[in-house]
Amino acid sequence: MTQLHVEAEGRASAAPEVLWALLADAESYCRWGPWSMACYESKGDESAGGVGAVRRLKLGRTTVVERVEEVDPPRRLVYCVVKGMPVRNYRAEVSITPTAEGARVHWSATWDRTLVGRLVQRQLRSLYPQAVQGLISAAEARGAAPGVATSHI
C-alpha cells in the first residue's frame, strides 16, 4: 500500500545535546510544542524516554498514544502511534544532525494511504513545522536567535 508522508525541518544555533534533552523528555513537550498535555504511560528500557516507553500527548480534543521504537541519543528518535489517530502504520522519526552553526532538526512521518489518512496529513502539515520551530526556539532560549522551520510534503 502506498504511504502518505509529512515532514518539517529547521536549523538551530543550539547544540544537538540541548535539542536532544528537550526531545527525549516527552513531559516537556507541552512547554515548547502545540500539545496541552504530555506524559508517560510507561517508562522505557533504560530511561523514561527509552525504547518501549509509551507516551500520551493531547492536542485539542485528541489524545494520541505513542510507543518509542528506537533511540540513538543525541541523534535520532523513532516512534509509532499506538492509538488515538485514525491512521494505520504511523511511524515517525526525528533526527538531529550537527552542523557548523549548531544542528539541523528533521521530523518526518509516514502512514498508510487512506481517505482519513489524507485528512490527518492536512493537519500534520501545520503541526510538524510548529513542533520543529517550538523545539528549536526552546533550545535557543538560552541565547541565540531562533531558526526557521519549513514544511515538505
Side-chain angles (χ1 to χ4, degrees):
M1 178 176 276
T2 307
Q3 298 277 292
L4 292 170
H5 177 82
V6 68
E7 65 184 76
E9 65 180 49
R11 296 197 181 273
S13 60
E17 294 78 15
V18 175
L19 290 153
W20 181 261
L22 293 165
L23 179 65
D25 178 15
E27 292 174 342
S28 76
Y29 284 25
C30 55
R31 292 193 299 268
W32 55 262
W35 302 278
S36 60
M37 184 274 300
C39 64
Y40 290 101
E41 279 191 5
S42 62
K43 305 288 183 179
D45 58 359
E46 294 182 23
S47 67
V51 172
V54 177
R55 314 178 309 181
R56 180 179 292 273
L57 306 169
K58 185 170 183 163
L59 180 64
R61 297 182 310 193
T62 303
T63 300
V64 176
V65 178
E66 304 171 343
R67 183 179 57 246
V68 175
E69 299 290 316
E70 299 174 36
V71 178
D72 181 15
R75 295 189 174 111
R76 188 167 168 262
L77 174 72
V78 177
Y79 63 92
C80 67
V81 169
V82 176
K83 62 181 174 180
M85 282 177 75
V87 296
R88 290 190 305 249
N89 299 316
Y90 183 101
R91 181 182 188 276
E93 179 175 335
V94 186
S95 62
I96 300 171
T97 307
T99 66
E101 300 80 27
R104 175 180 163 265
V105 177
H106 184 257
W107 202 318
S108 65
T110 58
W111 61 95
D112 292 349
R113 180 181 296 273
T114 63
L115 180 59
V116 176
R118 281 181 242 168
L119 297 174
V120 169
Q121 184 180 36
R122 279 192 216 158
Q123 295 169 333
L124 294 180
R125 283 180 185 159
S126 63
L127 176 79
Y128 269 50
Q130 287 176 18
V132 169
Q133 187 59 55
L135 176 62
I136 289 169
S137 294
E140 292 180 338
R142 297 181 180 120
V148 176
T150 58
S151 176
H152 303 283
I153 293 134

